[in-house]
Amino acid sequence: MAHSAGYGDLFYLAPMAYGMARGLSRFLDLPQRLPRWHRALNYIWVPAAVLIVISLAFSFKSPILGDVYWLLVLFALLGVLLALRHYRPARTLLFATAPFVVYKVLEIIIEDSNGKIPKSFDAFLDTTQGFVIIWLITFIFIARSQKKQLEKERVLREEEEKAKRLIEAQNVELERLVAERTAALTHQAQELSGALVELRTTQAQLVQSEKMASLGELTAGIAHEIQNPLNFVNNFADVSAELITELEEEQLKPDRDLELEAELLADLKQNLLKISQHGGRAASIVRGMLEHSRTSSGERTPTDINQLADEYLRLAYHGLRAKDKTFNATLKPDFDPALPPVEAIAQDLGRVLLNLLSNAFYAVRQRQMRGGEAGYAPTVGISTRRVGDKVEIRVRDNGQGIPEAVRAKIFQPFFTTKPTGEGTGLGLSLSYDIVTQGHGGTLSVTSQEGSFTEFLISLPINQAG
């Protein structure tokens, strides 16, 4: 059993202690966490130099000098670990170092005046030394793993905070643009209202058509202005995804931590792609909301359902034809000539019919574009019938049909079967509310996948009664 460090060992203990101090300082980031301790550890070799000078000056040679210095170093390192006990890797190192310090103290106590260990303690100290060394090495690796994990969490938090700040900045800018545009549109709406009042006295029908056209232009202006900041969010997400690809190429360099960077980059790329997807979704919802933003007087008046249905059948058909000149479909109106007027809000009910008919034309067009069906003729029909004290309006198409699993959710807000960018899932939800809450009626759907879809509107004839 070798004896503890003696006087001659001071010459190599000092550099060893300095190296340990520097390594601990780097591992625990002492320049940032404990700058005073960092500066003090830079002079940990000074006590050894002082002891050497004293021993040379007074010709004092004793093994206890090395032991004293070694204990001083160990307790200094323990002091650093205690000062950083709130930091998990420091606590682990403290737990790892404590048995080693106890062992060294015990060794110094057991050794004789010549710095040698009695042979009777050799076996015990050899076993203890092996244990504390294994213990120390094990927990050093654990502390290293903990530091990597904490660093990974820190980087992830920084990235999340950065993304959060960017989103908040875009939200502030979006709110500012919306406020500015709203003020401008309010002024324009006031001017249009004055013009419409003058026209209403001589040309009531022309005033109504002009009002709808003007409001349509305003709606398009609102959508255009809101779309710009939303496009910025989407573009930022796409650019960020490209930057991630470049960073993935950068991680191939030999001096990078490939495992850590690959995991972080994969998470960030996924988050940015979600920003892009939801940005596109938000833009689509805004468009859908604006399409349904027209207000009505809210007053029920006797309404010719046959005339209303025929008007919106033509409007929906020609609206789709305006987008696709090549599209043609067979129209099948079937109206009950004895149908009495129905107490209804004509504008709101027209919105419902326009939505159902537009969906019907969309369905038959999709089936036609899919191809592969010889002799297929796109057909949309609308019929009216009186059933007791109610009026039934049926909108039927021979499109692709609606799967059974989808029909249960068809009237839920924001649920749509259309591809991203083509539907918001607001139309049927608003239509359902207008029919059921606004008119006290019912709206239901029947469908056979690959064959047809039929929506049934049932309205009481006399709302007041």
Side-chain angles (χ1 to χ4, degrees):
M1 179 74 189
H3 63 74
S4 297
Y7 154 68
D9 293 332
L10 286 173
F11 288 101
Y12 73 82
L13 282 178
M16 181 188 301
Y18 182 76
M20 291 173 59
R22 294 289 292 178
L24 187 67
S25 179
R26 286 195 300 270
F27 183 79
L28 297 178
D29 300 322
L30 292 186
Q32 288 75 36
R33 299 180 186 275
L34 295 175
R36 292 183 178 179
W37 279 95
H38 172 70
R39 289 192 295 269
L41 289 179
N42 286 333
Y43 300 98
I44 200 167
W45 55 270
V46 171
V50 172
L51 290 174
I52 291 173
V53 170
I54 292 174
S55 64
L56 291 176
F58 296 96
S59 300
F60 177 72
K61 297 182 180 180
S62 173
I64 197 172
L65 293 177
D67 292 334
V68 170
Y69 177 68
W70 188 232
L71 285 178
L72 176 63
V73 170
L74 291 177
F75 281 112
L77 298 182
L78 283 177
V80 172
L81 297 176
L82 283 171
L84 273 180
R85 59 187 177 276
H86 62 280
Y87 184 44
R88 189 166 52 183
R91 289 200 305 272
T92 302
L93 287 180
L94 182 62
F95 191 58
T97 308
F100 183 76
V101 174
V102 173
Y103 166 77
K104 293 304 294 183
V105 172
L106 181 61
E107 186 182 67
I108 293 171
I109 293 173
I110 293 174
E111 70 181 14
D112 57 24
S113 59
N114 295 320
K116 295 184 178 181
I117 304 296
K119 291 188 178 296
S120 59
F121 291 96
D122 278 354
F124 169 73
L125 290 180
D126 284 342
T127 302
T128 305
Q129 184 183 52
F131 169 76
V132 297
I133 289 175
I134 293 173
W135 178 278
L136 181 63
I137 293 174
T138 300
F139 279 92
I140 286 175
F141 278 107
I142 293 174
R144 183 172 176 270
S145 299
Q146 289 175 343
K147 183 180 180 183
K148 283 187 176 181
Q149 180 64 27
L150 290 175
E151 182 66 17
K152 173 183 173 183
E153 293 174 358
R154 181 188 65 79
V155 173
L156 183 59
R157 284 195 302 270
E158 289 178 355
E159 294 296 339
E160 290 176 348
E161 287 297 324
K162 181 179 178 182
K164 182 179 178 181
R165 288 194 297 270
L166 288 172
I167 292 174
E168 290 176 349
Q170 294 306 315
N171 287 339
V172 171
E173 180 66 13
L174 177 60
E175 291 175 358
R176 184 186 66 80
L177 292 174
V178 170
E180 291 179 356
R181 190 59 180 169
T182 300
L185 290 177
T186 300
H187 179 69
Q188 295 176 17
Q190 292 173 348
E191 294 179 350
L192 287 174
S193 177
L196 289 173
V197 169
E198 295 177 1
L199 292 173
R200 190 177 292 115
T201 57
T202 54
Q203 299 178 350
Q205 185 61 42
L206 180 60
V207 167
Q208 182 64 20
S209 300
E210 186 67 19
K211 179 180 179 181
M212 294 179 65
S214 299
L215 290 175
E217 293 177 2
L218 290 176
T219 299
I222 296 173
H224 176 75
E225 290 298 325
I226 295 181
Q227 193 68 39
N228 288 335
L230 289 175
N231 282 339
F232 181 82
V233 174
N234 292 335
N235 292 337
F236 169 77
D238 293 337
V239 170
S240 297
E242 295 175 1
L243 289 177
I244 290 172
T245 302
E246 296 177 5
L247 288 175
E248 288 173 340
E249 296 175 356
E250 184 70 14
Q251 72 179 354
L252 297 177
K253 294 183 177 180
D255 58 340
R256 307 298 289 270
D257 187 339
L258 299 181
E259 180 181 357
L260 177 61
E261 286 195 5
E263 182 178 356
L264 291 175
L265 288 170
D267 290 343
L268 182 57
K269 186 172 183 179
Q270 182 181 7
N271 290 340
L272 290 173
L273 289 174
K274 286 183 180 179
I275 292 175
S276 177
Q277 294 169 2
H278 290 297
R281 183 63 179 161
S284 179
I285 292 174
V286 169
R287 290 195 299 271
M289 294 174 67
L290 292 175
E291 290 174 1
H292 295 83
S293 63
R294 292 178 298 166
T295 59
S296 63
S297 63
E299 297 180 1
R300 295 187 179 92
T301 57
T303 302
D304 186 341
I305 298 298
N306 289 340
Q307 179 182 351
L308 194 69
D310 185 67
E311 175 185 347
Y312 280 99
L313 174 65
R314 311 297 170 182
L315 179 61
Y317 178 58
H318 291 297
L320 185 55
R321 286 265 302 163
K323 298 178 181 178
D324 184 1
K325 300 291 186 183
T326 63
F327 174 71
N328 289 287
T330 301
L331 308 184
K332 286 190 174 182
D334 181 15
F335 303 132
D336 183 354
L339 199 69
V342 174
E343 294 288 332
I345 305 173
Q347 184 176 1
D348 288 353
L349 192 57
R351 290 169 62 190
V352 173
L353 294 175
L354 182 60
N355 182 67
L356 296 180
L357 289 164
S358 296
N359 287 344
F361 284 115
Y362 177 87
V364 298
R365 180 169 175 262
Q366 291 299 112
R367 182 173 178 180
Q368 182 185 51
M369 292 173 63
R370 187 174 59 185
E373 298 184 54
Y376 173 70
T379 304
V380 174
I382 184 168
S383 62
T384 59
R385 291 290 183 275
R386 176 171 182 170
V387 180
D389 60 349
K390 298 182 182 298
V391 168
E392 291 185 350
I393 308 171
R394 297 177 184 268
V395 177
R396 185 183 180 95
D397 66 75
N398 64 342
Q400 303 177 85
I402 305 173
E404 183 177 355
V406 173
R407 289 200 293 271
K409 301 181 287 186
I410 199 72
F411 296 119
Q412 293 180 6
F414 303 108
F415 177 80
T416 179
T417 58
K418 296 178 181 178
T420 301
E422 295 191 25
T424 64
L426 289 173
L428 287 176
S429 171
L430 292 174
S431 297
Y432 185 83
D433 289 343
I434 290 172
V435 172
T436 57
Q437 299 179 20
H439 291 81
T442 61
L443 175 59
S444 58
V445 60
T446 56
S447 181
Q448 181 177 335
E449 192 171 358
S451 179
F452 76 92
T453 298
E454 182 177 270
F455 284 89
L456 170 61
I457 302 173
S458 178
L459 299 172
I461 294 176
N462 189 347
Q463 298 279 335

